[in-house]
């Protein structure tokens, strides 16, 4: 997928961190608009989630090229126990980044004749408050 394939007319939640900025641009239910800059800066990394269409995009700039992955998120995925992962954001006002960690069965040479579960995708699904544990933290 190319970075130009991302629909800039949709509303997104997430961030784009440009090479010429100290902090990322944060999007909260906001149309992306023209996000590819022409002043020589580039997107170092980004995570965008289109809630309406349940589409997640991960953007990384590696070796002079964009690595862009798109993921479709099923509504039922939010009901899978243990799939939710929360991470405190960096330089985004203490927002919690909400991801879904997917695991798939894969062949493992160390377990002949058996498949094992391995983490395969970490998919951004917006900013959320992490559930509190029993101690209230």
């Amino acid at each position: 997928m190319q970075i130009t394939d991302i629909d800039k007319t949709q509303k997104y939640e997430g961030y784009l961190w440009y090479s010429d900025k100290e902090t990322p641009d944060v999007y909260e239910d906001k149309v992306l608009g023209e996000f590819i800059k022409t002043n020589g800066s580039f997107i170092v990394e980004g995570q965008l989630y289109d809630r309406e269409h349940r589409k997640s995009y991960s953007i990384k700039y590696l070796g002079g090229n964009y690595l862009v992955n798109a993921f479709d998120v099923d509504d039922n995925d939010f009901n899978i126990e243990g799939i939710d992962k929360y991470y405190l954001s960096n330089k985004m006002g203490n927002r919690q980044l909400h991801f879904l960690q997917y695991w798939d069965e894969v062949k493992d040479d160390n377990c002949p004749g058996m498949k094992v579960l391995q983490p395969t995708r970490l998919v951004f699904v917006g900013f959320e408050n992490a559930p509190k544990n029993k101690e209230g933290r």
Side-chain angles (χ1 to χ4, degrees), residues 64-111:
N65 296 302
Y66 285 110
L67 175 62
V68 181
N69 289 299
F71 305 96
D72 293 314
V73 180
D74 189 285
D75 285 340
N76 294 325
D77 293 351
F78 292 95
N79 299 321
I80 300 171
E81 188 174 334
I83 195 171
D84 296 291
K85 299 293 178 196
Y86 298 90
Y87 300 97
L88 185 61
S89 66
N90 184 17
K91 299 186 179 184
M92 287 184 260
N94 292 325
R95 286 177 176 85
Q96 292 281 335
L97 303 174
H98 183 194
F99 289 86
L100 299 179
Q101 174 70 71
Y102 293 89
W103 295 68
D104 292 321
E105 285 186 357
V106 296
K107 182 181 174 186
D108 187 330
D109 292 337
N110 294 318
C111 300

Side-chain angles (χ1 to χ4, degrees), residues 27-73:
Y27 297 82
E28 293 187 270
D29 197 32
K30 181 178 169 188
V31 172
L32 201 53
E34 293 299 327
F35 67 99
I36 300 174
K37 298 191 176 188
T38 57
N39 66 355
S41 72
F42 55 90
I43 299 168
V44 176
E45 73 173 76
Q47 297 288 342
L48 298 170
Y49 184 58
D50 174 356
R51 282 191 189 277
E52 181 181 348
H53 298 100
R54 298 281 192 232
K55 191 90 160 169
S56 180
Y57 298 95
S58 173
I59 305 164
K60 302 270 190 234
Y61 191 78
L62 298 169
N65 296 302
Y66 285 110
L67 175 62
V68 181
N69 289 299
F71 305 96
D72 293 314
V73 180

